[in-house]
Amino acid sequence: MEKNTILVTGGCGYIGSHTIIEILRNTEFKVISVDNCLNSSPDTMERIEKITGVKVKNYNVDLTDKKATLKIFEENQDILGVIHFAALKAVGESVQKPMWYYENNMNSLLSILNACQRNEVNNFIFSSSCSLYGNVAQLPVDENTPLSKTESPYAHTKKIGEEIIENIIHVNNINAIALRYFNPVGADKTGLIGENPINKPSNLVPVITQTAVGIIPKLTVFGDDYNTRDGSCIRDYIHVTDIADAHIKALQYLKDGKNTDKFEIFNLGTGDGVTVLEVIKAFEKVTGQKLNYELGPKRPGDVEAIYSNSGKAEKHLGWKTKIGLDEMMASAWKWQQTLEKEKS
Ligand code: NAD
Ligand code: WQD
């Protein structure tokens, strides 16, 4: 049987859903998803169907359940590769509930790797994070930049996750790639799907769009005296569709056997550092909305500036970002307006 199905874990979540859409738009692969909707809504699959015309099956299974995970592989003998997005991802929450983060993120990773190993599914992509780099001495950061001590249990699950994958695939036929995302933002160009935080958001862009529609009364810019061009922090914001596209390129790269090592790591960023105030200005410019914001104290744990050198992904995967800051803001706004319309 020709293996032609991609199993996406966390397919009801933000990046997983956008990746499924890009796979369906741009490749011949079939897709199945596994997501217990711990941090997402089961109606995501209906949104994906509306956009692509394809009904994707989601298994509502907790990936920490090894038996249930194995059963999915037994039912689907044509899985070519796994893109493993499923994880808990809130940095602050992970400090409050470390046990939950370690149990969920580590056990689901072990369970899915076990299922891959037993079923000869040999292509594995892992969602990693720029949070591994922490405070860095030199910018931009590339894959050889030394990792600092992780600042949160969440970041630690990514660090251990990469190490677990490297150790485990050393003794089987799996080849793996860890993609370290910088700051994914924005929404699909249709405006019919996007980031939909179940709880009060803490990430900048959903805070901006929710402030613009009045759900959040006022945005606080965390810190105005950093050593940056306008005093606010610098990050590398990257459109979620560009991130999705990198996963397809990474899968194809493994499928074609182009990898030189069994485990490879790539940064995913635009390479441009942008300040918080510049993001706000871009939002106001492209949407015509005046944002209610104030300058406030620093947020504990924030690094002053971080942005990526993504030359390695460009060179090896043939991947480059296509979408700029204005479109990131416009698409996030379009999605927020869809959510508002759905409420009324
Ligand atoms: P998300 O919360 O929107 O999606 C993750 C999905 O995984 C959710 O739908 C959740 O229900 C599911 N899930 C969690 N634990 C599960 C389990 N045990 N069994 C089944 N499903 C489970 O998050 P996202 O923003 O789409 O992030 C996807 C991945 O990318 C995560 O691994 C995250 O750590 C990583 N990442 C995200 C960012 C970001 O800023 N969004 C940045 C870097 C890395
Ligand atoms: C961006 C900038 C804030 C909210 C986090 C995780 C990281 C990765 C990406 C998962 C910062 C400022 C924010 C607000 C603000 N996720 N800000 N007011 O902290 O760079 O990275 O998401 O792997 O691990 O830590 O993203 O969107 O929270 O913040 O001024 O209300 O916006 O200080 O400079 P962050 P963020």
Side-chain angles (χ1 to χ4, degrees), residues 12-259:
C12 296
Y14 173 44
I15 307 175
S17 59
H18 286 77
T19 302
I20 292 176
I21 290 167
E22 292 313 302
I23 294 173
L24 296 174
R25 275 183 181 146
N26 301 317
T27 79
E28 298 292 312
F29 295 130
K30 288 190 278 176
V31 184
I32 55 172
S33 161
V34 188
D35 196 313
N36 62 353
C37 296
L38 200 57
N39 190 40
S40 52
S41 158
D43 75 11
T44 305
M45 292 302 143
E46 284 154 36
R47 294 185 187 277
I48 292 176
E49 187 178 0
K50 206 166 166 194
I51 294 167
T52 64
V54 181
K55 201 175 174 71
V56 173
K57 178 163 176 57
N58 179 59
Y59 288 85
N60 192 325
V61 160
D62 182 343
L63 285 158
T64 63
D65 181 339
K66 262 174 120 176
K67 263 197 185 157
T69 305
L70 268 174
K71 198 158 169 275
I72 298 168
F73 281 68
E74 279 152 20
E75 275 177 30
N76 296 277
Q77 295 287 325
D78 62 343
I79 300 172
L80 172 74
V82 168
I83 309 182
H84 182 49
F85 291 106
L88 292 165
K89 64 155 183 180
V91 175
E93 185 182 57
S94 79
V95 176
Q96 301 307 318
K97 299 175 179 171
M99 180 77 90
W100 190 37
Y101 269 68
Y102 284 118
E103 274 182 358
N104 188 70
N105 292 3
M106 299 342 300
N107 289 341
S108 53
L109 175 63
L110 289 170
S111 162
I112 194 89
L113 282 171
N114 171 62
C116 286
Q117 176 169 299
R118 285 178 174 229
N119 289 277
E120 282 291 326
V121 173
N122 293 331
N123 303 303
F124 191 84
I125 314 285
F126 178 63
S127 296
S128 191
S129 166
C130 68
S131 56
L132 296 188
Y133 293 112
N135 269 304
V136 286
Q138 227 186 332
L139 288 166
V141 296
D142 66 25
E143 294 79 358
N144 296 319
T145 300
L147 305 184
S148 60
K149 187 178 176 300
T150 46
E151 296 279 341
S152 68
Y154 163 73
H156 204 199
T157 68
K158 295 297 176 189
K159 189 174 191 179
I160 316 167
E162 288 189 1
E163 289 168 5
I164 286 176
I165 296 168
E166 191 167 19
N167 293 161
I168 288 179
I169 67 173
H170 188 60
V171 293
N172 57 36
N173 293 326
I174 302 173
N175 288 285
I177 286 178
L179 298 173
R180 291 179 181 161
Y181 321 150
F182 280 65
N183 289 55
V185 298
D188 186 66
K189 60 186 178 194
T190 57
L192 297 175
I193 199 165
E195 189 170 10
N196 196 1
I198 282 182
N199 301 312
K200 187 174 179 286
S202 58
N203 289 120
L204 179 63
V205 174
V207 171
I208 289 178
T209 58
Q210 290 199 8
T211 305
V213 294
I215 299 172
I216 297 173
K218 192 183 252 182
L219 179 149
T220 303
V221 175
F222 297 139
D224 64 350
D225 62 351
Y226 283 104
N227 187 21
T228 60
R229 48 189 176 264
D230 61 21
S232 64
C233 287
I234 289 182
R235 296 288 182 274
D236 188 338
Y237 299 93
I238 172 168
H239 196 281
V240 65
T241 301
D242 276 329
I243 296 254
D245 181 40
H247 289 75
I248 297 175
K249 297 250 174 11
L251 255 179
Q252 201 61 48
Y253 175 81
L254 289 182
K255 182 175 182 244
D256 296 344
K258 289 190 175 156
N259 52 317

